[in-house]
Amino acid sequence: MEEDGKSPPDSAYGEPKKYDPNFKGPIHNRGCTDILCCILIVLGIIAYVAVGIVAWTYGDPRKVIYPTDSKGQFCGQAGTPNEKKPFLFYFNIMKCASPLVLLQFQCPTPQICVEKCPDKFLTYLSVVTTQQNFDYYKQFCQYGFNNFSKSPVEVLRDRDCPAMITPSKPFTRRCFPAISTQKGVVMVGNSTTFDDGTGDKQRNVTDLVEGAKKANVVLEARQVAMKIFEDYTVSWYWIIIGLLIAMVISLIFVVLLRFLAGIMVWVMIVLVIAVMGYGIFHCYMEYARLKGEAGSDVTLKDIGFQTDIRVYLHLRQTWLAFMIILCILEVIVILLLIFLRKRILIAIALIKEASRAVGSVMSSLVFPLFTFLLVCLCIAYWAITAVFLSTSNEAVYKVFNETQCDFSGKTCDPETFNTTNVTRLCPDATCQFAFYGGETYYHKYLIVFQIYNAFMFLWLANFVIALGQVTLAGAFASYYWAFKKPDDMPAFPIFSSLGRALRYHTGSLAFGSLILAIVQLIRILLEYLDHKLKGADNKCARFLLCCLKCCFWCLEKFIKFLNRNAYIMIAIYGTNFCTSARNAFFLLMRNIVRVAVLDKVTDFLLFLGKLLVVGCVGILAFFFFSRRIQIVQDTAPTLNYYWVPILTVILGSYLIAHGFFSVYGMCVDTLFLCFLEDLERNDGSTERPYFMSANLQKLLNKTNQTKPDK
């Protein structure tokens, strides 16, 4: 191993850069690169816009928002006959206990839109017999029915009216029996039995409960979603305050790094250890407090999945698991700090230089907002297009019946159904709306459009991230290669770098992001296959799929690493993607010791900074939303699931911290590659002076003394 910490020259990794007296940073006289990929992404965007227009033409998001009656009409939709009828009413909800509900997600009973759900027990026979409540009962009959002169047998046979109505309450705009329990007895409308309207004996309300459960099989997720939405509506401003606090902490931390890098890094390390230590202490106290409480010794396996996370917080096993996880993380961090203590001192010197670079390019701290807005635009377009594509099907009607029938499940036309032979061969059959689908050419290839929508989202999102990386790399490279800092730097380094990237290297960025998008799409398809094979017993297929998922995960990480360094070389030299990726990889391999000593240790320190911001804001959010701070106990909103805003604040805080620290990360990576290039081009003599600062020259001396273990 050579004394300067570099690997011996090896032709397998290319030749070191030669001295060039004319090279002074990012090359300005450059040409367009990877033009073919530039044309491809432009054509892809045009096709993506075309897919969006087609989806917006045929799609109808109302199919997701509003319930649909047996004729495919929306309940409560403004501008329709059902505008004042927002609730869906089932003629006989007990039919929803049929297995057909689980197979086709539709109850084999007529469904109509009503103005309000029924609030009393009535049967059609009692209404006809007593000549009372005609007008009230009529609103639960088929649209336009007003013929009470028909015999009850004919009305019930033709399904003009329900045989009975029961007290109901609206849930997700659907009328379900108003079920309640009193002393363990299930009741509906203060009654345990009811008349089903067929003249038979009284039936137990548990039959209604069973039907309601099956009808609700598709709606349970919506119930949780609605509660989460309610939590967001009452806590959104507190979430914003939490995110603002995370932004302020991140900004203060980054600014302090500019002036007190060494001190701030050690403070950050101590605080991370302290925060994790407090987490261990808090978990132990909760574990000890729950000792002896009823139900606290139930295991996580016994309790199963619960949407209310507070259930788990009443279990001792939960806090024991948290404590063990935090202890393991604490030990790992401490051991890493012990073994990397000398290298941390070296990495701090690189962070100090990065702080000076960020201070000279202060607009770099704001630039991630531009990238964030473009990524949000990509997400919004993808989400809207996906919703419109998924709702661009046509209404499909099928034959539903209660008894055996050869026509069951066949498509039908509700306008001509009563004139067909189906009603003669299957007297109880009805033609009802089943789902949204279609047999046209467009509907057959709808899944292809969805895949293309996902692929273009991945491509464009990765392109936007790549544009942000190459822009920051160009700005920080102009800082490093300025012999007199900051006098020799451009007036607006960020805008100069962004202009070069868009003008000359759109194709190269599209090339790198295309490769990454393809790998990510394959990973998504593998996850889909894994989800489909979960119930399969083919262990060989599951093992092969697991291996593929692992390989493509590693491939994605490697491509991200290669792309990041390739974009730095593109920003400096203006070469195409493949050449830049090869040169960056060979440069790193020729200096593999320094890569291990400096770059990764610096990344670890910056990651600790993100953890510190997330940990501080997360602990504050936990104590606030769980009402454990006495001073603001009455101020905290009342929530269904207080973990919803907590997780939102934690995730948002991480993204905000990542946005600020990603600037430092990109700065460190750029300065590191420039540092390696500088060492190969120059020798520090009067004729070939280093471009690096005095701080980095001290760093060079330290790395020369840092030798790998033999």
Side-chain angles (χ1 to χ4, degrees), residues 274-295:
V275 168
M276 296 177 67
Y278 175 77
I280 295 172
F281 171 74
H282 181 77
C283 291
Y284 173 77
M285 294 301 295
E286 291 292 331
Y287 177 78
R289 182 181 64 83
L290 291 173
K291 185 177 181 180
E293 286 195 12

Side-chain angles (χ1 to χ4, degrees), residues 664-696:
Y664 262 84
M666 199 66 203
C667 182
V668 167
D669 290 343
T670 303
L671 295 182
F672 184 66
L673 278 185
C674 293
F675 173 70
L676 299 180
E677 285 270 347
D678 197 7
L679 291 178
E680 291 188 346
R681 287 180 176 275
N682 308 299
D683 57 8
S685 63
T686 306
E687 294 79 11
R688 297 167 59 185
Y690 288 131
F691 280 82
M692 69 184 73
S693 64
N695 178 59
L696 281 181

Side-chain angles (χ1 to χ4, degrees), residues 540-645:
C540 181
R542 294 293 303 278
F543 174 76
L544 179 62
L545 191 61
C546 184
C547 292
L548 287 174
K549 287 170 60 179
C550 180
C551 291
F552 276 95
W553 180 85
C554 295
L555 180 60
E556 181 184 357
K557 295 299 180 184
F558 175 74
I559 290 176
K560 284 184 176 180
F561 170 78
L562 192 63
N563 284 6
R564 186 181 180 89
N565 291 282
Y567 296 147
I568 296 174
M569 301 301 275
I570 290 172
I572 298 173
Y573 295 104
T575 52
N576 62 45
F577 176 79
C578 292
T579 302
S580 300
R582 183 182 67 249
N583 292 341
F585 182 72
F586 286 171
L587 177 62
L588 293 173
M589 291 303 296
R590 291 196 299 268
N591 297 269
I592 190 64
V593 174
R594 286 197 176 98
V595 173
V597 171
L598 293 177
D599 198 39
K600 297 307 156 192
V601 177
T602 308
D603 290 342
F604 172 69
L605 294 179
L606 294 177
F607 177 71
L608 289 183
K610 299 176 190 177
L611 286 185
L612 178 61
V613 174
V614 173
C616 293
V617 178
I619 290 175
L620 181 63
F622 172 76
F623 279 101
F624 177 77
F625 288 111
S626 61
R627 299 190 170 193
R628 302 197 180 195
I629 303 178
Q630 296 293 333
I631 301 176
V632 294
Q633 193 172 43
D634 297 332
T635 309
T638 303
L639 303 168
N640 296 300
Y641 310 122
Y642 68 77
W643 53 265
V644 170

Side-chain angles (χ1 to χ4, degrees), residues 50-281:
V51 170
I53 293 173
V54 172
W56 299 337
T57 302
Y58 290 96
D60 189 353
R62 296 178 303 173
K63 297 171 185 177
V64 179
I65 301 172
Y66 300 99
T68 311
D69 65 9
S70 298
K71 295 183 179 180
Q73 299 174 339
F74 301 114
C75 298
Q77 171 62 28
T80 65
N82 293 328
E83 179 177 1
K84 296 183 179 180
K85 299 178 179 180
F87 306 114
L88 186 68
F89 172 74
Y90 298 90
F91 269 32
N92 187 356
I93 200 169
M94 290 182 293
K95 301 296 183 185
C96 297
S98 167
L100 285 173
V101 177
L102 301 177
L103 297 176
Q104 299 180 354
F105 296 105
Q106 181 74 318
C107 293
T109 185
Q111 300 157 43
I112 63 171
C113 300
V114 295
E115 186 175 347
K116 61 180 181 179
C117 297
D119 57 5
K120 61 181 71 176
F121 273 115
L122 283 176
T123 65
Y124 183 77
L125 291 176
S126 66
V127 169
V128 173
T129 303
T130 61
Q131 299 292 310
Q132 294 178 357
N133 296 312
F134 276 154
D135 292 335
Y136 180 81
Y137 204 93
K138 186 175 63 175
Q139 61 182 324
F140 304 106
C141 296
Q142 294 283 5
Y143 308 128
F145 176 77
N146 200 23
N147 188 6
F148 282 91
S149 61
K150 290 176 65 174
S151 67
V153 176
E154 293 175 325
V155 171
L156 298 179
R157 181 198 63 193
D158 298 337
R159 302 194 178 186
D160 293 326
C161 292
M164 63 163 184
I165 59 175
T166 61
S168 305
K169 291 182 179 180
F171 172 66
T172 62
R173 297 196 177 191
R174 290 159 176 83
C175 296
F176 288 103
I179 301 169
S180 61
T181 57
Q182 295 183 11
K183 297 182 180 181
V185 179
V186 180
M187 308 180 73
V188 175
N190 297 322
S191 178
T192 58
T193 60
F194 67 95
D195 186 348
D196 63 3
T198 61
D200 296 336
K201 63 181 182 179
Q202 293 281 315
R203 300 182 63 169
N204 196 289
V205 296
T206 53
D207 296 334
L208 287 174
V209 175
E210 185 64 25
K213 284 182 179 179
K214 291 294 179 68
N216 194 38
V217 68
V218 192
L219 303 174
E220 290 181 353
R222 289 191 179 186
Q223 180 185 14
V224 176
M226 289 299 294
K227 288 185 177 180
I228 292 176
F229 179 76
E230 290 175 2
D231 289 343
Y232 278 126
T233 57
V234 298
S235 63
W236 64 269
Y237 45 91
W238 292 109
I239 292 175
I240 293 176
I241 292 174
L243 297 181
L244 288 175
I245 293 174
M247 184 179 297
V248 171
I249 293 176
S250 300
L251 183 60
I252 292 174
F253 199 92
V254 168
V255 172
L256 289 177
L257 275 178
R258 168 67 181 86
F259 302 100
L260 304 169
I263 297 176
M264 287 304 299
V265 169
W266 287 112
V267 169
M268 173 186 67
I269 292 173
V270 172
L271 287 179
V272 167
I273 296 175
V275 168
M276 296 177 67
Y278 175 77
I280 295 172
F281 171 74

Side-chain angles (χ1 to χ4, degrees), residues 309-320:
I309 200 172
R310 288 172 294 187
V311 175
Y312 299 107
L313 297 182
H314 289 290
L315 304 179
R316 300 186 73 208
Q317 195 176 82
T318 301
W319 294 104
L320 179 63

